[in-house]
Amino acid sequence: MKIAVAQHRLRSDPTQDLDALARMAREASVKGAELLVLPEVASLEDESVRDEMFRRIQPVAPRMWLMPHVRDTSAGQAFRPTTLPGAEELGRVAMPVGDAAMDPDEISRLYRERPDVLVLAPLSRSELQAEAVLELAIGLSESVSGLVLVAEATGADAGEPGHGGSAIALFGEVVSEAVGDDDLLIADVPIPVPALEPREPVPQVPPILLQRLARHRGEKLEVDYPADLS
């Protein structure tokens, strides 16, 4: 199956965001993608705006498209592995968003549940976090699910969600990675995704992501070496 993952540059108002996402959805269809994953976009949180987004994107998008969404980006949200209506051939899809995408407890749970496809929307708040997420995604594609999709926005100020890092990881390799602020990643992947046999152990979450979790929880990360994780 040909799949597409969009990396979206944040615009100055919701109308511009909608225009750009609709263009990206149309491009994915023209290129023959059957699945499109769009990133969480903060300006589309309002319910009426999201209704307009569905109205604009649905007619032009591939037959299957996803946009993970969560309002409380600090706590994150773990969308449990489930079979999506109209996308049964994908198998069970899990979509951890925000902090849930890097929570060791959540990752251990996903390891046990073994979703067929894993979609990450970590809402990275710096380029360093985005790089760490890519490292984590590679490990997850060797342990949790053979296919891991990272869908992110870019263009935000430091400390705010939106610093890129969109990628498609397949069985331990990055087969497509965003190189621009507005980028559409395309890859041919086997569907159903073959099971990981044997599986690698649960990957370690990079320290910079653990520091983010600790900060959001009002905790202090304990490390066994001198380090500046700020």
Side-chain angles (χ1 to χ4, degrees), residues 99-157:
D99 284 2
M102 58 198 70
D103 185 337
D105 291 338
E106 174 63 21
I107 291 172
S108 295
R109 191 176 302 115
L110 288 169
Y111 186 84
R112 295 191 298 271
E113 294 177 348
R114 305 185 70 159
D116 298 288
V117 179
L118 182 59
V119 178
L120 302 180
L123 306 173
S124 294
R125 297 165 182 261
S126 70
E127 292 185 7
L128 288 176
Q129 286 187 13
E131 293 172 2
V133 167
L134 180 58
E135 175 189 339
L136 179 61
I138 294 171
L140 294 173
S141 73
E142 297 176 303
S143 56
V144 172
S145 169
L147 177 60
V148 179
L149 312 177
V150 183
E152 288 279 75
T154 186
D157 294 333

Side-chain angles (χ1 to χ4, degrees), residues 33-85:
E34 296 182 70
L35 169 66
L36 168 64
V37 180
L38 297 170
E40 163 79 1
V41 178
S43 70
L44 307 181
E45 287 186 356
D46 182 83
E47 186 173 347
S48 63
V49 177
R50 290 184 76 82
D51 288 343
E52 176 66 11
M53 178 195 70
F54 283 102
R55 187 189 70 79
R56 292 277 307 277
I57 292 178
Q58 187 67 42
V60 299
R63 63 185 182 89
M64 297 180 287
W65 64 281
L66 306 171
M67 176 185 269
H69 174 63
V70 63
R71 284 182 172 83
D72 185 357
T73 59
S74 292
Q77 183 170 343
F79 294 90
R80 311 276 9 116
T82 186
T83 302
L84 304 174

Side-chain angles (χ1 to χ4, degrees), residues 156-175:
D157 294 333
E160 295 296 325
H163 291 270
S166 301
I168 301 172
L170 186 65
F171 301 119
E173 295 186 9
V174 177
V175 297

Side-chain angles (χ1 to χ4, degrees), residues 210-211 213-223 227 229:
L210 293 177
Q211 174 69 9
L213 289 175
R215 184 182 300 113
H216 287 173
R217 295 169 178 174
E219 302 170 351
K220 181 176 176 59
L221 179 66
E222 299 295 333
V223 295
L229 298 174

